């Protein structure tokens, strides 16, 4: 069963790029002196777009929403249309694992940042991988 039409309309209006969380992380990375590209597909033949990319260091950063990616701390499972949403979120998790594996095979390191993480702490984690 698909999502109901009102839910589909509401969810389609959710920003998928340049979200407040992503912008806060980018500001924190910039403050650390890091320069990067945004919303790029770093691996040829893999249709997955990283939120922040460090081409020289071959590091791709993904900012994952707690709801959409099933955060172990904050995931919520909707009661309405539960089967549809469980399949959708589990599918996102499977795609994330596949993305991580494909990027690793291509020589890239992936950093995943949850939306609930402190931007400064997440930026420090990214800095450690980039350096």
């Amino acid at each position: 069963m698909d999502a109901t039409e009102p839910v589909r309309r509401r969810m389609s209006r959710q920003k998928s790029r340049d979200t407040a969380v992503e912008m806060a992380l980018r500001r924190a990375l910039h403050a650390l002196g890091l320069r990067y590209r945004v919303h790029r597909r770093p691996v040829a033949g893999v249709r997955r777009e990283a939120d922040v990319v460090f081409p020289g260091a071959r590091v791709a950063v993904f900012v994952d929403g707690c709801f959409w990616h099933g955060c172990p701390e904050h995931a919520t499972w909707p009661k309405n249309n539960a089967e549809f949403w469980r399949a959708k979120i589990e599918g996102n998790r499977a795609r994330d694992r596949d993305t991580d594996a494909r990027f690793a095979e291509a020589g890239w390191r992936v950093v995943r940042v949850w939306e609930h993480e402190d931007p400064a702490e997440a930026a420090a984690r990214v800095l450690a991988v980039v350096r």
Side-chain angles (χ1 to χ4, degrees):
M1 176 184 257
D2 288 339
T4 63
E5 189 56 33
V7 171
R8 186 184 345 268
R9 277 197 309 272
R10 187 173 66 246
M11 293 301 183
S12 72
R13 289 191 301 265
Q14 295 291 318
K15 287 181 79 170
S16 62
R17 56 190 306 160
D18 300 331
T19 63
V21 174
E22 187 181 318
M23 297 302 292
L25 175 64
R26 287 173 18 198
R27 280 191 295 276
L29 291 168
H30 196 270
L32 291 174
L34 294 174
R35 300 302 178 258
Y36 46 81
R37 301 283 182 242
V38 296
H39 298 288
R40 299 291 169 105
R41 292 182 179 167
V43 179
V46 179
R47 293 187 57 214
R48 309 285 165 74
E49 184 179 277
D51 297 310
V52 179
V53 178
F54 297 90
R58 297 177 68 85
V59 174
V61 180
F62 293 87
V63 180
D64 294 338
C66 290
F67 174 77
W68 293 107
H69 295 268
C71 170
E73 277 184 59
H74 302 106
T76 57
W77 300 103
K79 291 178 180 34
N80 289 337
N81 212 355
E83 189 177 309
F84 168 82
W85 287 110
R86 172 125 352 224
K88 172 71 174 157
I89 293 166
E90 291 297 343
N92 289 347
R93 285 175 162 178
R95 188 184 61 246
D96 292 345
R97 288 188 300 272
D98 180 65
T99 298
D100 293 353
R102 287 174 179 239
F103 278 45
E105 287 171 14
W108 284 76
R109 288 171 290 169
V110 171
V111 178
R112 292 207 172 262
V113 175
W114 287 108
E115 73 174 317
H116 68 263
E117 287 186 66
D118 175 78
E121 291 175 14
R125 209 161 40 88
V126 171
L127 176 65
V129 175
V130 169
R131 292 220 167 128

